[in-house]
Amino acid sequence: MEYVSTRGAEERVTFSQAVVKGLAPDGGLFVPCEDVVFPKKALAEMAGFDYQGLALAVMSRYADDFSEDELKACIEGAYGSGRFPECPVNVTRAGKNLSILELWHGPTCAFKDMALQILPRFMVAASRKCGEEREITILTATSGDTGKAALEGFRDVPGIKVMVFYPAFGVSETQKLQMITQEGSNVCVKAIYGNFDDAQTGVKKIFGDAEFAEKLAKDGKMLSSANSINWGRLLPQIVYYFFAYFSLVREKAIKLGEKADFCVPTGNFGDILACYYAKKSGLPVGKIICACNTNSVVADFLATGTYDKNRPFVTTSSPAMDILVSSNLERLIYDACGKDPVKTAGFMRELAENGRYTVGKEILDRIHEDFESGFATEEQTKAAIAEAYFKDGILIDPHTAVGYSVLAKKRSGSTGNQTVLVSTASPFKFNSSVAEALCPADVHENMSEEDISRIISEKTGESIPAPLIGLSSRKIRFPDTVEPEKMKQTAEEFIYG
């Protein structure tokens, strides 16, 4: 399998090269040159695999420059190392036609662990295959969960440094504590004065600085990414959609071959794009429902065909979705354009220059074959947390609540399909928002994170995840906040430090 840029760079690369580079030289994203398709017979066999066996079956089709033993080692190291339960994901029934896919049982209690525990292993093996001897710095912008998951995944990995920028006032207190207390000799965290888009734009500018890249190369150094723009980050996420579907088959909720819908809370469009690739490869997926918060730029695009980031940025209780520039949408645009890199590059250029672009009816109709969309306000998100718990008996975080709210509106007249709601983070990572929805009278000003979590645990009977216990008492290692224009200087000091 070879990969090519969405914007038309002539160079084709292997999976290993795509992982190490992260971003294509022309600023585009790497995509497979060919579609992977699993025939019905293969799907029937895969339905009985455990998670690691399923990961091997799926990933081997996209990472064919890795031997089976190399892939097995990466998979076992990520999912069999004791950082996850025996099965890293959990699928629970929440009604006649609804199941919840819980992706937050890893070391940082967010779905990003599913990819960022295996990406460092991909990176080390891929660097070796590419003959890459330069020191790699993983440079990442985060709205909260990616940062901690990347820091934890790459912590103390030889030959690799990791630096994370996050918006100073755009993450939950728990997310912030997770990052600024991060251990490891090769990590660095900086807050910025600005929102996530400011952080993401700053990181992209550093990646696009040819002079800086040349300087790093001369000094035996290079940059790569742990964001979902890196195909090595996106690939592991395809696996859990297969697992969720086969779980429904094993539970006899559906027969193999029947379609299931998926509702995915999204901002940067990586998690939901993985579902799209699963469907493309033959998994019987019906509609993919894109659920956005008040920053509804992606939902608006999917509804109208116009992507317009020229709007106020709203800080919400679901910060991972507080995004106005959705990087991974570019991969979907590329497909919907008939894999035309010239058209794709043109749309991305319009976005960079004018903050907006509009696709034609033909392209939008292709997208509508697979996607529906909707958004939830802050009030609706809060109400969904309460309804999910008091009506369906499930405790969910604000991101999952966005999906729950959108799904309730979309499925008020049911299609009849079984539907899987993707749950992206532990509710205890966003304890203040959850407590405000479930038991506001019990929460008081200046209450510690641990006390808020304890109240939720006592009210619901749900245990606080071990990685979130005692965060407030851990040593703060990274207290600094920098201006966005100082990001390159800050990164350079860390890389050469």
Side-chain angles (χ1 to χ4, degrees):
M1 174 66 75
E2 290 184 312
Y3 293 79
V4 67
S5 169
T6 52
R7 301 188 192 180
E10 293 183 4
E11 179 189 15
R12 291 190 170 199
V13 300
T14 64
F15 171 76
S16 294
Q17 290 170 322
V19 168
V20 172
K21 290 175 182 289
L23 194 67
D26 60 358
L29 308 184
F30 287 117
V31 289
C33 290
E34 302 170 3
D35 290 338
V36 168
V37 178
F38 292 97
K40 291 181 180 179
K41 183 178 180 180
L43 291 175
E45 294 174 354
M46 292 161 65
F49 291 175
D50 64 10
Y51 196 89
Q52 291 192 37
L54 192 57
L56 180 64
V58 173
M59 292 182 190
S60 62
R61 295 291 301 275
Y62 294 92
D64 59 1
D65 61 334
F66 275 48
S67 69
E68 182 174 320
D69 286 344
E70 287 171 328
L71 264 182
K72 282 183 176 179
C74 291
I75 293 166
E76 170 64 24
Y79 305 122
S81 60
R83 292 192 165 193
F84 290 92
E86 183 176 351
C87 181
V89 305
N90 189 35
V91 181
T92 60
R93 300 287 289 165
K96 182 180 178 181
N97 291 322
L98 179 64
S99 295
I100 310 295
L101 172 59
E102 296 177 353
L103 299 175
W104 41 264
H105 294 284
T108 76
C109 305
F111 82 96
K112 308 295 176 74
D113 290 325
M114 298 302 300
L116 285 168
Q117 282 298 305
I118 197 168
L119 180 59
R121 292 165 173 83
F122 281 161
M123 190 79 71
V124 170
S127 297
R128 186 168 57 246
K129 284 179 174 295
C130 296
E132 183 57 71
E133 297 181 353
R134 289 176 292 177
E135 180 184 75
I136 299 173
T137 295
I138 304 297
L139 192 61
T140 294
T142 185
S143 52
D145 288 337
T146 289
K148 173 60 180 177
L151 292 163
E152 189 65 28
F154 284 95
R155 181 182 67 178
D156 294 326
V157 173
I160 299 179
K161 290 183 171 183
V162 56
M163 182 166 201
V164 170
F165 290 100
Y166 72 93
F169 306 106
V171 300
S172 76
E173 185 64 20
T174 296
Q175 288 175 309
K176 178 181 177 180
L177 285 170
Q178 282 187 301
M179 288 188 285
I180 65 177
T181 61
Q182 176 67 45
E183 297 178 348
S185 60
N186 64 334
V187 304
C188 184
V189 181
K190 296 289 182 182
I192 69 156
Y193 294 108
N195 58 41
F196 171 73
D197 281 340
D198 296 321
Q200 183 168 247
T201 298
V203 166
K204 285 182 177 180
K205 284 182 178 178
I206 297 171
F207 272 104
D209 189 327
E211 184 178 337
F212 186 47
E214 184 178 350
K215 178 180 187 300
L216 292 175
K218 287 180 179 179
D219 294 332
K221 303 176 186 296
M222 66 172 292
L223 297 176
S224 190
S225 173
N227 285 98
S228 52
I229 57 174
N230 191 316
W231 180 260
R233 158 84 183 272
L234 193 63
L235 173 57
Q237 296 177 268
I238 298 173
V239 177
Y240 49 69
Y241 290 102
F242 279 85
F243 186 85
Y245 180 87
F246 293 142
S247 293
L248 297 183
V249 173
R250 288 192 294 270
E251 294 170 6
K252 296 183 170 49
I254 58 174
K255 294 179 181 179
L256 186 65
E258 291 182 0
K259 290 184 178 180
D261 298 339
F262 284 83
C263 180
V264 189
T266 194
N268 218 18
F269 215 74
D271 198 9
I272 195 169
L273 191 71
C275 186
Y276 169 73
Y277 278 107
K279 180 177 182 178
K280 282 182 62 177
S281 68
L283 193 68
V285 174
K287 285 295 183 181
I288 306 171
I289 303 160
C290 172
C292 298
N293 65 17
T294 303
N295 295 290
S296 58
V297 62
V298 176
D300 293 344
F301 166 75
L302 293 176
T304 67
T306 295
Y307 193 102
D308 190 351
K309 72 167 188 173
N310 301 310
R311 61 180 73 195
F313 182 97
V314 182
T315 300
T316 74
S317 60
S318 48
M321 302 161 72
D322 290 348
I323 293 172
L324 295 182
V325 180
S326 184
S327 295
N328 257 296
L329 188 63
E330 181 172 341
R331 285 183 166 115
L332 177 63
I333 296 296
Y334 174 79
D335 262 21
C337 287
K339 299 185 177 181
D340 186 332
V342 176
K343 284 185 179 180
T344 306
F347 289 134
M348 297 306 110
R349 186 167 52 252
E350 286 183 50
L351 181 64
E353 294 174 355
N354 306 315
R356 70 191 305 272
Y357 62 86
T358 299
V359 301
K361 183 178 183 300
E362 183 180 354
I363 293 174
L364 188 60
D365 286 346
R366 288 177 187 165
I367 293 173
H368 284 166
E369 291 175 7
D370 300 305
F371 289 90
E372 294 181 6
S373 62
F375 73 94
T377 65
E378 280 292 88
E379 293 77 12
Q380 290 168 337
T381 300
K382 182 178 177 180
I385 294 173
E387 182 179 344
Y389 181 71
F390 293 116
K391 178 185 174 183
D392 292 331
I394 53 174
L395 186 63
I396 57 176
D397 82 295
H399 303 79
T400 309
V402 168
Y404 184 96
S405 177
V406 169
L407 187 58
K409 288 180 280 190
K410 287 286 178 183
R411 291 294 178 260
S412 55
S414 176
T415 63
N417 283 355
Q418 287 288 327
T419 302
V420 179
L421 171 61
V422 177
S423 181
T424 58
S426 165
F428 289 96
K429 287 196 78 167
F430 304 90
N431 48 17
S432 294
S433 296
V434 173
E436 184 180 348
L438 300 184
C439 49
D442 296 319
V443 180
H444 308 293
E445 192 175 355
N446 299 323
M447 187 174 281
S448 72
E449 293 293 295
E450 285 79 4
D451 285 343
I452 298 173
S453 291
R454 178 180 50 78
I455 288 171
I456 296 171
S457 180
E458 290 174 353
K459 290 285 185 181
T460 64
E462 297 287 342
S463 299
I464 304 170
L468 302 183
I469 296 174
L471 279 176
S472 297
S473 62
R474 296 178 191 173
K475 180 182 177 182
I476 295 176
R477 296 186 62 203
F478 305 105
D480 297 337
T481 303
V482 300
E483 297 288 348
E485 57 267 24
K486 293 291 185 70
M487 288 174 63
K488 178 184 172 183
Q489 176 186 332
T490 304
E492 188 171 6
E493 289 171 355
F494 172 64
I495 291 168
Y496 283 91

